[in-house]
Amino acid sequence: MSRKDVERAAARSPGTDRVGRVGLVGAGVVVAVEALWLILGLPAGALVSDLGALTVAGWAAIACVAASRRHPTVRRFWLLLSATMALSLAGRALWTSQRLLGESLPHTLPIGLLFAASLLTGTAALFCSVTAPRTRVGRARTLLDGVIVGLALIPIGWLLIFRNVSLADLDEPLRTAGLLYPMFDLMQLTILVAVVGPSRPVWRPMALLGASLTVRAVADTVYVSLVAAGTYQAGTPIDVLWPLSYLLIVAATRMPPPRDHGATEETGEAPLPPWWRVVLPYLPVGGAIVATMLARDAGGHTPMPIFLAMMALLATLALRQGLAANENLRLVLQLRKLAYVDQLTGLPNRLAFIRRLRGALRGTNRVAVLLLDLDGFKQVNDRFGHTTGDTLLSGLSRRMRRAVGDDGLIARIGGDEFAVLVTDGRPLAPERLAERLLRALQPSPGEELVGVHPSASIGIAEYGPQHISHTDLLRDADIAMYAAKAAGKSAYRRCTQGLRESAVSRAELIADLRRAVDEEQLHLEFQPIVDLATGAVRSAEALVRWRHPRLGVLSPARFLPLAEETGLILPIDRWVIHEACRAAATWQERVPSATVAVNIAASHLRRPDLIATVTEATAGAGLAPRALTLELTESALIEGSDAVLDRLGQLRELGIRIAIDDFGTGYSSLSYLHRIPATELKIDRSFVARIPEDTRAYATVEMVTRLAGAFDLGVVAEGVETERQHEAVAAIGCAQGQGYRYGRPASLAELRTVLVDCDPPGVSGVAESGLTLT
């Protein structure tokens, strides 16, 4: 049974609940009777007030014990409060007995010890509450805040109450100590406010306990004032305040148990205190200084009690400031750690790595940097969530830390990017360290799930004359890392002059690509898609080309990967969709059933504005939605989220056709065919190229064709270049074909001629340029 279950069972226990109800009602009746008795001035008022205080204090002690049984999570808090009430009961009983024996104000040593002990247990109870500081420094700081307030009130109390009291009247130490009770009350009240201040919402028993301390502080202050003036009489209405303070504690025991404190439980950190909580202990200090100055006698001498109190106050303030300085130092160290340490992996972060790198470049002849990027880590986050990604990062970072060991400094400098610094003191060659890292990242048994354990690409750059600063060295490592990715990932490359020149050319090409759309350097070519049964051109795929002003016409393979990396693929895709729709609208005047196909990047598929782009393009061109086919790669669809699938469903509802391009190259297509609202499959050219001589390729194409028929999908065989390939896909039953056998990509004018002139009888040769179907 959990602690919460035990607490609920205890709260429902009839015994403890009955004790609580009887205690609260009985104590309330006693306080009400005593208040009425003393207000009316009935006889034996002193005895009635003593008996009332004894009765309510006893009930408070019993009620606190019952509360400790009902609420095990705060058992110590209630037991200490019970001890406080028991000590108050004992002190009050001794006080009453000695007063009945003839002592008007029995400030004796046993009574003083009992009340001092109750002060200690009550303060300890405050530090056991649910919102109390959990560290020794925090508890010491809070205690010192209370002592500061208490000591600061001594000069103020002297000025307001005891200034006209002769020192001869305070010659009894115990009697003098009894006059300090208000100071102790306010000290405890300060501690309570300090404990409760940061808590939102306040635990209700603490609010009632604060009210109890306030009532007791008022009672003690009035009592001390009357005693100092020599006018105190037992059995007056002021005496009802002490049992009233005990009654509030009885009421506190009836409050529900504390709830979980969200900020501390969820983040592990206490909430920040409000500003008034920070300045609270220092507010009375100014009043104490003013009171000390005003309390001087005619000769300019400060009364000894005030002098001693101020010395104690200064000592306490010094200790408090020492704690504050120590805590500030600890916070500075913590902030430094936060500034230079990655919180997820515990490795140095980018700032710390740059700092060490700059220092190494100033003090050694050999510096090498290994830049490591995890391959496929984004797919882990997309498929399994960031929590799984963080767990994976933590595990991989531990492997890499062990692999590097004392041969370098490893840091996490980005989301899935790490860097290793190697200097003169580490003789291991950077290449050997890269090999060690790659071996450490290889999946161990049980980690073979595709996409769960990514590989890594590592770039190596060593400091040389071509580097002016640390940024140049990191740039070269980045260049080498991208070269490792291009080499097939899970590899390392050292930066060379050739890679630098290639990177410069790449950067220039990206800069030119940013201007290509605006300056109308892009154009479309169209490759026909042929009906294999009749030879008629039923559709065409729009393919983008780039007329580079310096490099000539560039194929999509040359610039589309760069466009996808930089995000430029989005404006390019939009331009292609609009231009393809306008082109299709012109040839539909002659061949109304003809359609156009457009490739869409995976990043565009994830954007919610794709639907708006497509509808604007078709409506603007006056093209029927059914005449547009969006070709999507199999990997983009498989990695798509539910939102992507919903978006595809909306496109299908509009009439847009969906084709799965390069079908057969993915790893979970069959499971996704039930969810993807596709209309056709395009068999990848790698299967078609081997189909005449490879029986397995032939069987694959045949299987895909039958599968498409089962799902009521059309089939297009891509990459048909020879007569044998054409005969094979036609024999299998593919409905349509695409490839050089039927026509190369050509201009819109040439495609329009083919669409007009095409004759159903059959399909034969391929012209060397343009589109010629015979």
Side-chain angles (χ1 to χ4, degrees), residues 345-404:
T345 63
L347 297 175
N349 60 12
R350 185 181 188 88
L351 185 61
F353 184 81
I354 298 288
R355 190 181 184 188
R356 289 288 297 273
L357 176 58
R358 295 174 67 178
L361 291 174
R362 289 194 297 266
T364 184
N365 295 324
R366 177 184 180 241
V367 177
V369 170
L370 286 74
L371 195 62
L372 183 150
D373 184 84
L374 298 178
D375 303 321
F377 184 76
K378 184 179 182 301
Q379 283 74 20
V380 175
N381 279 336
D382 291 344
R383 295 181 62 195
F384 302 102
H386 288 278
T387 300
T388 300
D390 289 347
T391 303
L392 179 60
L393 272 179
S394 300
L396 294 180
S397 67
R398 288 192 293 270
R399 293 189 184 189
M400 289 187 286
R401 189 201 293 267
R402 288 194 297 267
V404 172

Side-chain angles (χ1 to χ4, degrees), residues 526-541 595 597 631 680 682 714-720 726 729-730 733-744 751 754-755 758-766 771-774:
F526 298 88
Q527 185 173 30
I529 299 175
V530 177
D531 187 325
L532 296 183
T534 63
V537 177
R538 301 293 188 185
S539 181
E541 181 178 356
T595 62
E631 294 190 2
E680 63 186 52
K682 300 192 74 172
V715 177
V716 179
E718 292 187 292
V720 179
H726 162 71
V729 296
C734 293
Q736 295 177 303
Q738 180 181 354
Y740 287 177
R741 166 66 180 77
Y742 313 117
R744 294 176 180 273
L751 176 69
V754 173
L755 286 167
C758 71
D759 200 25
V763 185
S764 57
V766 181
L771 296 170
T772 303
L773 301 178
T774 60

Side-chain angles (χ1 to χ4, degrees), residues 417-439:
E417 285 189 342
F418 297 81
V420 180
L421 175 63
V422 181
T423 59
D424 273 340
R426 282 71 178 252
L428 185 68
E431 289 83 359
R432 303 290 77 77
L433 189 56
E435 292 173 355
R436 188 191 296 173
L437 283 166
L438 291 177
R439 285 196 301 269

Side-chain angles (χ1 to χ4, degrees), residues 52-62 82 85-86 88-89 92 243 246-247 250:
L54 288 170
T55 303
V56 181
W59 263 327
I62 295 172
S82 176
M85 289 295 96
S88 298
L89 173 64
R92 190 76 184 196
Y246 306 150
L247 175 63
V250 177

Side-chain angles (χ1 to χ4, degrees), residues 270-604:
L272 292 176
W275 67 268
W276 57 265
R277 161 65 187 87
V278 178
V279 303
L280 175 64
Y282 301 101
L283 292 178
V285 174
I289 296 174
V290 174
T292 301
M293 297 175 63
L294 296 177
R296 292 177 179 176
D297 57 19
H301 300 96
T302 302
M304 184 56 65
I306 295 182
F307 176 78
L308 294 176
M310 290 302 293
M311 291 299 100
L313 178 60
L314 289 176
T316 307
L317 283 171
L319 183 58
R320 174 67 174 83
Q321 291 306 109
L323 281 178
N326 178 72
E327 193 169 12
N328 288 340
L329 178 61
R330 182 180 61 83
L331 290 174
V332 167
L333 294 176
Q334 185 177 358
L335 287 174
R336 179 173 295 179
K337 181 179 179 181
L338 291 173
Y340 292 108
V341 176
D342 178 64
Q343 297 304 298
L344 176 64
T345 63
L347 297 175
N349 60 12
R350 185 181 188 88
L351 185 61
F353 184 81
I354 298 288
R355 190 181 184 188
R356 289 288 297 273
L357 176 58
R358 295 174 67 178
L361 291 174
R362 289 194 297 266
T364 184
N365 295 324
R366 177 184 180 241
V367 177
V369 170
L370 286 74
L371 195 62
L372 183 150
D373 184 84
L374 298 178
D375 303 321
F377 184 76
K378 184 179 182 301
Q379 283 74 20
V380 175
N381 279 336
D382 291 344
R383 295 181 62 195
F384 302 102
H386 288 278
T387 300
T388 300
D390 289 347
T391 303
L392 179 60
L393 272 179
S394 300
L396 294 180
S397 67
R398 288 192 293 270
R399 293 189 184 189
M400 289 187 286
R401 189 201 293 267
R402 288 194 297 267
V404 172
D406 296 330
D407 294 315
L409 170 73
I410 183 169
R412 183 189 180 202
I413 62 173
D416 59 350
E417 285 189 342
F418 297 81
V420 180
L421 175 63
V422 181
T423 59
D424 273 340
R426 282 71 178 252
L428 185 68
E431 289 83 359
R432 303 290 77 77
L433 189 56
E435 292 173 355
R436 188 191 296 173
L437 283 166
L438 291 177
R439 285 196 301 269
L441 292 175
Q442 289 178 355
S444 57
E447 296 179 334
E448 295 84 0
L449 292 178
V450 176
V452 174
H453 197 294
S455 58
S457 300
I458 303 176
I460 303 173
E462 196 157 2
Y463 186 73
Q466 70 274 12
H467 301 121
I468 301 176
S469 66
H470 69 280
T471 56
D472 298 321
L473 189 60
L474 288 173
R475 176 207 61 203
D476 278 5
D478 191 61
I479 290 172
M481 185 266 291
Y482 274 103
K485 281 188 176 295
K489 304 179 181 180
S490 192
Y492 68 88
R493 290 291 183 272
R494 176 183 279 271
C495 187
T496 62
Q497 183 61 32
L499 287 180
R500 292 190 193 96
E501 293 174 356
S502 176
V504 171
S505 300
R506 182 176 180 273
E508 291 176 349
L509 194 62
I510 291 174
D512 293 341
L513 186 58
R514 295 185 186 279
R515 298 189 296 268
V517 175
D518 295 335
E519 296 180 2
E520 299 182 353
Q521 296 176 10
L522 301 179
H523 74 281
L524 292 182
E525 290 185 350
F526 298 88
Q527 185 173 30
I529 299 175
V530 177
D531 187 325
L532 296 183
T534 63
V537 177
R538 301 293 188 185
S539 181
E541 181 178 356
L543 303 171
V544 64
R545 302 288 187 265
W546 181 11
R547 293 193 186 97
H548 193 280
R550 179 170 48 88
L551 301 175
V553 178
L554 302 181
S555 67
R558 181 76 182 275
F559 63 90
L560 285 185
L562 294 179
E564 291 184 1
E565 290 179 17
T566 58
L568 294 173
I569 192 65
L570 297 177
I572 291 176
D573 267 0
R574 294 189 190 100
W575 180 85
V576 170
I577 292 173
H578 280 82
E579 289 298 311
C581 288
R582 280 194 284 267
T586 63
W587 71 56
Q588 276 205 333
E589 297 174 359
R590 296 290 183 89
V591 186
S593 62
T595 62
V596 64
V598 176
N599 286 284
I600 296 297
S603 57
H604 208 158

Side-chain angles (χ1 to χ4, degrees), residues 43 49 70 102 160 162 199 216 229 232 240 260 317 321 333 355 472 487 495 522 531 539 543 567 571 626 698 760:
S49 65
R70 290 198 307 273
L160 298 177
F162 303 117
S199 176
R216 195 177 76 188
Y232 174 74
V240 80
D260 292 337
L317 283 171
Q321 291 306 109
L333 294 176
R355 190 181 184 188
D472 298 321
C495 187
L522 301 179
D531 187 325
S539 181
L543 303 171
R626 59 175 176 77
Y698 189 98

Side-chain angles (χ1 to χ4, degrees), residues 615-653:
T615 54
E616 289 174 5
T618 53
L623 185 71
R626 59 175 176 77
L628 175 63
T629 300
L630 298 182
E631 294 190 2
L632 310 165
T633 62
E634 188 177 3
S635 58
L637 290 169
I638 290 172
E639 295 167 6
S641 63
D642 290 337
V644 169
L645 296 176
D646 291 341
R647 196 166 297 128
L648 292 176
Q650 295 177 45
L651 288 170
R652 283 295 300 126
E653 290 176 0

